[in-house]
Amino acid sequence: MSTFEDFIEETTAHARPLEHAVRSNMWQAATTGAKDALDAERESRAALLRFWANRELLERAQSLLAAYDGTDPITARCLKVIQLAAAEAQQDEATIDEITALEAQVRDAYYNFRGEVDGERLSDNALDDLLRTTTDPSSARNAWEASKQIGMQVADDVRALTRLRNRAAQAHGYRDHFARALAVHEIEEDFLFRLFADLETASRGPFKKLLAEISASRAAHFKIDLEALQPWHYADRFFQSAAAMGETDLDALFSQREPMNLALQTYDGLGLEVRDILARSDLYEREGKNQHAFCLDVDRSGDIRTLNNLQPNHRWTQTLLHELGHAVYNLYIDQDLPWLLRKPPHLLSTEAIALLMGALTLDSSWLREVAGVPLAEAETLVSGAQARKRAGHLIFTRWVLVMVHFERAMYSNPDQDLNTLWWQLVERFQGLKPPEGRNAPDWAAKYHIPLAPVYYQNYELGLLVAAQLEHHLRQEIGDLVGRKEAGAWLVERVFHAGASFPWDQHVGAATGEPLDPAYFVASLAA
């Protein structure tokens, strides 16, 4: 066995059990919110970070990578994955302890947070239902403001986390944590912001028109003047998804259908197995449980689970299909690959599949064949669903612009007036004016900012990749719904290779062309 292979095996032998401990403890903490589980997660995260933060590990990976002749692409990629993981983790022992302790404290606050309205603690699901359905402006405001209470609880800790992450990144030559997070995940910052500037331009006109339509609809819903509209009137805590605008009520349709059954029928139709995944999953809400859905590959060997808080509505059916998209990606990665490569090539790659699967709830074939929409209703419902899908893409794109620009600015100076900055970006990209006189850390109410930092660009890039994959899949296979050939196409073209290539090469290998935003942009202007 060569020196290169010895190094890869040695690194794997140390990293694998440490990662397994983190993910096992993460699951326990997320499903219970218990202090001992949160403490165990913090301790295991610190242990994993200490391993990857070893400076000698990074230097050896860099040295071996530079010396390797590239004869075996798999060996070369393993060396690169080790080098990137070590570069991401570089920080001293004191910083590791401070960051993991503070993250655990913030995680505890989010897991156990329930917004209070008139003295009653309400889950995110309850607040979302209230915002979506109420016609009373006061009730909408109360629910929206309750959802922001967590921001006031954690804002100081989030600023402290930002400073700590910056300290670690700057000690190793990066401008700040934002710059390091992009670099170690193989995204060039200039490329990203050029791309996002193009998306901002392409979406500006269609979004302005859509916003006018939504605003008129929401004003009519609340029976108020357009000028009286406030952010809490838009049916979503952050205006990151599309409210119903007169089309057939999707939630009325989904209220009669169990998300689990719809998910099984969807993935059975593609020939992708999810029953074992669902059996291991935690699917319904309860006190103390994390309210944010996710998928977790515990061991890179088949122990894959999803956490959801299911209700029989469109949002949670879409979310379950989304999380199972992540799950099947991991499930069908070639198990003969080295452990280091048994993962998607990038977070944006797995987001692309999750977004593709979630969007099936707005697909005409899926509504008829899986949801069983009667033919008499199908035409109207399908038309409304397609309009909702386009609106969703526009609204979400503008929301991602808020998040990415905010995070870059926050890491450039965490001590600036973030409250004002947040609303400046919301107004610039989403067209919502800040409530008069409001000066609160509403930015800190967004879970991703402290606990999934510098992540949101992956959702938007995932939308671009999903649009490109869907175009080629439909060209070669036809429909996605009820077609086992479509599932086999995804396994062969997308899932099987794991992290054998960088994400951009993977897109090229799967579709036969480099990433092309035109497929997604076309959906905005449709």
Side-chain angles (χ1 to χ4, degrees):
M1 187 176 292
S2 71
T3 301
F4 306 104
E5 291 167 326
D6 284 341
F7 175 65
I8 291 167
E9 286 209 0
E10 178 186 337
T11 303
T12 299
H14 283 91
R16 188 171 184 171
L18 291 170
E19 181 181 284
H20 185 270
V22 170
R23 296 187 176 188
S24 298
N25 290 327
M26 177 184 172
W27 182 258
Q28 189 66 17
T31 54
T32 67
K35 186 180 184 307
D36 59 345
L38 288 159
D39 287 345
E41 181 182 2
R42 174 184 57 78
E43 291 167 5
S44 58
R45 283 184 184 276
L48 180 61
L49 269 174
R50 287 189 195 99
F51 170 72
W52 284 116
N54 186 311
R55 186 70 184 178
E56 291 181 5
L57 176 67
L58 174 61
E59 290 172 352
R60 191 174 177 203
Q62 290 170 329
S63 174
L64 289 172
L65 189 60
Y68 190 62
D69 62 9
T71 304
D72 177 20
I74 293 297
T75 298
R77 190 60 187 162
C78 284
L79 293 171
K80 183 64 175 179
V81 166
I82 294 170
Q83 183 256 318
L84 291 170
E88 181 178 18
Q90 290 304 298
Q91 55 206 297
D92 58 39
E93 185 79 17
T95 303
I96 289 173
D97 289 340
E98 287 181 80
I99 286 178
T100 54
L102 201 48
E103 284 179 341
Q105 185 172 309
V106 173
R107 196 173 290 112
D108 185 11
Y110 274 99
Y111 286 2
N112 290 288
F113 170 73
R114 302 295 183 271
E116 288 195 16
V117 179
D118 297 329
E120 182 182 2
R121 285 165 50 86
L122 297 179
S123 68
D124 283 353
N125 275 340
L127 292 172
D128 288 339
D129 288 343
L130 191 53
L131 283 167
R132 190 178 66 253
T133 61
T134 185
T135 58
D136 176 23
S138 295
S139 293
R141 178 172 186 166
N142 290 340
W144 184 87
E145 290 182 343
S147 76
K148 308 301 180 190
Q149 291 163 358
I150 182 64
M152 290 179 272
Q153 293 179 28
V154 302
D156 289 345
D157 287 343
V158 179
R159 284 184 191 266
L161 272 172
T162 304
R163 295 185 201 103
L164 285 168
R165 289 168 179 156
N166 275 350
R167 186 175 81 190
Q170 290 162 355
H172 292 89
Y174 294 91
R175 183 192 71 225
D176 54 28
H177 176 75
F178 187 90
R180 175 160 81 167
L182 291 181
V184 299
H185 287 98
E186 300 179 291
I187 293 178
E188 294 181 7
E189 188 170 353
D190 288 346
F191 155 79
L192 181 70
F193 280 88
R194 285 196 307 271
L195 175 60
F196 276 23
D198 291 343
L199 290 173
E200 195 280 325
T201 299
S203 64
R204 187 185 304 142
F207 179 74
K208 184 177 180 180
K209 181 180 178 182
L210 174 67
L211 181 61
E213 296 171 1
I214 291 173
S215 296
S217 174
R218 299 311 291 172
H221 177 84
F222 284 102
K223 297 183 173 58
I224 58 177
D225 294 335
L226 274 172
E227 294 74 20
L229 283 171
Q230 297 289 336
W232 48 80
H233 293 130
Y234 286 82
D236 183 277
R237 284 171 281 158
F238 294 99
F239 192 37
Q240 67 182 74
S241 62
M245 283 173 44
E247 76 266 22
T248 302
D249 186 353
L250 286 171
D251 280 339
L253 167 70
F254 284 93
S255 68
Q256 305 302 314
R257 290 159 173 83
E258 169 57 45
M260 277 263 290
N261 294 337
L262 294 172
L264 284 170
Q265 192 173 343
T266 300
Y267 284 92
D268 282 349
L270 289 165
L272 302 175
E273 180 54 59
V274 297
R275 281 171 175 76
D276 287 347
I277 294 166
L278 288 169
R280 285 187 292 268
S281 295
D282 193 313
L283 298 173
Y284 299 98
E285 69 177 329
R286 62 181 175 276
E287 191 72 22
K289 179 183 170 184
N290 188 352
Q291 298 183 85
H292 301 269
F294 64 84
C295 173
L296 187 67
D297 186 345
V298 176
D299 60 3
R300 305 197 198 187
S301 296
D303 185 355
I304 303 161
R305 313 168 187 186
T306 75
L307 183 144
N308 289 271
N309 292 277
L310 297 181
Q311 291 188 333
N313 58 32
H314 175 253
R315 174 197 164 200
W316 277 108
T317 302
Q318 186 175 58
T319 299
L320 181 58
L321 293 187
H322 177 107
E323 299 305 336
L324 288 173
H326 289 303
V328 294
Y329 198 134
N330 288 77
L331 182 65
Y332 287 97
I333 289 172
D334 183 2
Q335 287 293 302
D336 289 333
L337 286 170
W339 178 84
L340 288 163
L341 304 185
R342 278 188 241 151
K343 62 178 184 175
H346 197 281
L347 296 166
L348 71 87
S349 308
T350 183
E351 288 299 345
I353 298 303
L355 290 161
L356 183 66
M357 294 297 106
L360 288 177
T361 60
L362 299 174
D363 179 88
S364 57
S365 296
W366 190 91
L367 287 165
R368 285 189 290 261
E369 296 175 24
V370 177
V373 176
L375 288 176
E377 301 174 23
E379 186 174 344
T380 300
L381 185 61
V382 166
S383 175
Q386 291 306 302
R388 175 83 76 92
K389 182 177 180 179
R390 174 179 174 269
H393 283 169
L394 278 167
I395 290 168
F396 191 73
T397 294
R398 305 300 291 192
W399 164 242
V400 171
L401 292 171
V402 172
M403 285 289 291
V404 173
H405 281 84
F406 178 80
E407 286 195 286
R408 181 166 68 165
M410 181 183 74
Y411 281 103
S412 74
N413 179 13
D415 296 311
Q416 66 181 294
D417 181 358
L418 295 177
N419 299 358
T420 298
L421 172 65
W422 177 259
W423 281 104
Q424 287 173 341
L425 292 171
V426 167
E427 186 168 15
R428 173 184 169 188
F429 293 119
Q430 294 182 288
L432 302 184
K433 293 182 182 293
E436 187 174 352
R438 186 168 181 84
N439 181 22
D442 296 327
W443 49 273
K446 186 60 182 170
Y447 176 90
H448 291 71
I449 288 175
L451 295 176
V454 197
Y455 190 96
Y456 245 84
Q457 69 281 347
N458 297 315
Y459 291 122
E460 188 70 13
L461 292 169
L463 280 172
L464 269 59
V465 174
Q468 187 164 326
L469 286 172
E470 182 175 4
H471 170 81
H472 286 278
L473 195 158
R474 288 188 184 279
Q475 272 199 331
E476 296 181 35
I477 304 298
D479 206 342
L480 278 77
V481 178
R483 300 288 295 274
K484 289 183 169 55
E485 307 97 307
W489 190 96
L490 289 170
V491 171
E492 179 183 349
R493 295 285 194 91
V494 183
F495 305 161
H496 193 72
S500 301
F501 312 103
W503 71 267
D504 51 349
Q505 291 181 27
H506 183 251
V507 171
T511 66
E513 61 175 339
L515 179 65
D516 185 351
Y519 296 110
F520 178 71
V521 170
S523 73
L524 302 181

